[in-house]
Amino acid sequence: MTTYEKLSADPALTVSVKAMLRENADAVEAVLDTLYRCGGPCDAQLDEACRYSLMAGGKRVRPALTLEFCRLFGGTDEAALPFAAAVEMIHTFSLIHDDLPCMDDDDLRRGRPTNHKVFGEAVALLAGDGMALDAFRIAAGNTAVPADVRAQAAMLLSEAAGCAGMVRGQIMDMYGETHRLSLDELKLLQARKTGALIRVSAQLGVLAAGKSADGPEMAAAVSFAEKIGLAFQIVDDVLDVTATAEQMGKSVGSDAGHNKNTFLSFYTVEGALGEAARLTAEAVACIGDYPGSDRLCALAVYLAARDN
Amino acid sequence: MTTYEKLSADPALTVSVKAMLRENADAVEAVLDTLYRCGGPCDAQLDEACRYSLMAGGKRVRPALTLEFCRLFGGTDEAALPFAAAVEMIHTFSLIHDDLPCMDDDDLRRGRPTNHKVFGEAVALLAGDGMALDAFRIAAGNTAVPADVRAQAAMLLSEAAGCAGMVRGQIMDMYGETHRLSLDELKLLQARKTGALIRVSAQLGVLAAGKSADGPEMAAAVSFAEKIGLAFQIVDDVLDVTATAEQMGKSVGSDAGHNKNTFLSFYTVEGALGEAARLTAEAVACIGDYPGSDRLCALAVYLAARDN
């Protein structure tokens, strides 16, 4: 039995991963909760808008990857937490901007009205901008790691989020609304749109543990993250057609509504879930030999089998 | 005669400052021109939109400050250029987002249609996001300086641009459209909205020259930049009522149209220009004792007397 098969057959897996995610979420939320508390009378709305989205919950998968990869390779939570907070800030900014009327025009996110529905478009735009920019203050200001690690983390985060990564994925996604993409193009789109941030979350954990950007630990973490990132998106596309809005805490069926290219243009639901399982098994194999990797492997299996 | 008086009386000042700005602009544009050239068929629009605004000219005052402060304190252009490019990228992103319909809804910028008028709101939003994020890749990836300088630069840039700086200034500005601000509140607004980025432009030049963040050079540069930043904004408010759209390359009279608080709520045009001159004289005094500071002093005088 492979590690993947063992984990997939474990009835306690969901319980233990949910507990692990909760524990990591608590740790990163304690950091996030210290932010955006300084506003005076003329500008308190900015803090409110930032906190509204930043503290809205969610699975906090990205910071969990940062924390878990740092622990896996012998680093401290103290070193990983600022990076974990920074990736979650970038993720939250991207959600706020994605939901704007000129983008997906969504009303519901994590079970609540979207940021611009509550604060208006201008404040939502600025809250997103501010959070994206502030992430670098948090990452580059991580005094628990040496200066070269801080600088490298800021650089990787910028590459993952900006026009080399997530933002370019968004543009490809929009292009895809009026053009049919090939499977390879769709994979590239997703590697950028959601994959790049998942990947850098793992990378920053490895860096926080003091491992080199060129070492075998980094290579293993990157392969793992790329595979679970793609699996994550495939499952997301499936859930967009099979789950309810209540399960997801956001509008569903919106991919079809926006005429988006999804993996279901290339796979049946069953085929897509099989592909996600295959990628997850490969991901588990990438890091399975490192002692203590069972937590990350369990996370990968949980994500591929999730129902929200 | 003080340095300020001498410079103000110099008939050749405008010509020499314009040449200096042109020279610095050429240097930073050579760096900016290497960016946003990688797009494939599905995403070329992102590069076009970024280049449209990034290469649209403008005085390039912020990168000039970075380059000139680096030179003043003995650094190389090689060390300053990535930082100079990064501040101009943050500035350009802020202009793209400011012009969006949910913000100032402007049609004209630097004499051309605004980014969203050409590329649509979604692409303009993403081009702004991407450029803001990419600035940190450029700053933190400045291999001509040591790692601690790279990390510090990324941190200062983030503080200046994000919710501690420029973005908070924007929120205060919006608040001011429906509330009357005091002169002190307006100064704080401007210190954040435009001042913070001018200040960090100078700071990054000092860091690029290898000077400490706590040393006398940094203190002098910060004081100089804060004073010229405020003078710059006061003159901007004056030009918004006295200049033509042709002179400015953007819509004028828009402050009144948006019911914005401006310094002309507190000063007459003559009084405002006097205040700008007073601040400029103080700025010149902050750095005038450093040999070679005449170029920066001339820039300060030019900016306070500019007509566009």
Side-chain angles (χ1 to χ4, degrees), chain B residues 54-183:
Chain B
L54 201 52
M55 304 309 288
K59 288 184 286 292
R60 312 285 194 192
V61 171
R62 292 159 195 79
L65 288 171
T66 308
L67 286 161
E68 292 293 335
F69 267 106
C70 181
R71 289 177 195 141
L72 177 63
F73 296 128
T76 64
D77 282 10
E78 192 199 355
L81 272 171
F83 293 160
V87 294
E88 190 66 8
M89 290 166 79
I90 295 283
H91 177 56
T92 305
F93 128 75
S94 77
L95 300 181
I96 297 174
H97 280 195
D98 279 8
D99 290 337
L100 285 171
C102 72
M103 301 289 294
D104 287 353
D105 195 14
D106 271 321
D107 296 347
L108 196 62
R109 168 71 69 181
R110 289 176 177 166
R112 302 197 301 169
T114 46
N115 199 292
H116 66 274
K117 284 279 161 193
V118 179
F119 299 97
E121 271 183 70
V123 172
L125 173 71
L126 288 169
D129 285 347
M131 214 180 295
L133 293 159
D134 290 344
F136 294 91
R137 175 169 69 79
I138 307 298
N142 181 359
T143 51
V145 299
D148 61 322
V149 172
R150 291 202 290 280
Q152 177 107 45
M155 216 171 73
L156 289 177
L157 190 59
S158 165
E159 280 174 359
C163 288
M166 187 174 70
V167 166
R168 192 168 295 275
Q170 289 281 9
I171 287 277
M172 290 179 74
D173 200 29
M174 282 169 45
Y175 173 92
E177 288 176 26
T178 51
H179 296 78
R180 178 118 329 267
L181 301 183
S182 70
L183 180 57

Side-chain angles (χ1 to χ4, degrees), chain B residues 35-47:
Chain B
L35 304 174
Y36 304 118
R37 291 182 168 279
C38 58
C42 334
D43 52 350
Q45 231 197 346
L46 178 62
D47 298 285

Side-chain angles (χ1 to χ4, degrees), chain A residues 39 42-43 47 97 102 122 125-126 129-130 133-134 136-137 141 147-148 155 158-159 161-163 167-168 175 192, chain B residues 39 42-43 47 97 102 121-122 125-126 129-130 133-134 136-137 141 147-148 155 158-159 161-163 167-168 175 192:
Chain A
C42 335
D43 52 350
D47 298 285
H97 281 195
C102 71
L125 173 72
L126 289 170
D129 285 348
L133 293 159
D134 290 344
F136 293 91
R137 174 169 69 79
D148 62 321
M155 215 171 74
S158 166
E159 280 174 358
C163 288
V167 166
R168 192 168 295 275
Y175 174 92
R192 289 168 169 169
Chain B
C42 334
D43 52 350
D47 298 285
H97 280 195
C102 72
E121 271 183 70
L125 173 71
L126 288 169
D129 285 347
L133 293 159
D134 290 344
F136 294 91
R137 175 169 69 79
D148 61 322
M155 216 171 73
S158 165
E159 280 174 359
C163 288
V167 166
R168 192 168 295 275
Y175 173 92
R192 288 167 169 170

Side-chain angles (χ1 to χ4, degrees), chain A residues 261-273:
Chain A
N261 287 267
T262 84
F263 287 101
L264 296 182
S265 314
F266 302 97
Y267 301 111
T268 60
V269 165
E270 203 167 73
L273 293 176

Side-chain angles (χ1 to χ4, degrees), chain B residues 184-206:
Chain B
D184 281 347
E185 285 171 329
L186 180 61
K187 282 183 181 171
L188 179 60
L189 183 167
Q190 295 302 353
R192 288 167 169 170
K193 192 182 161 198
T194 53
L197 200 57
I198 289 174
R199 177 185 147 125
V200 78
S201 301
Q203 287 177 298
L204 297 196
V206 178

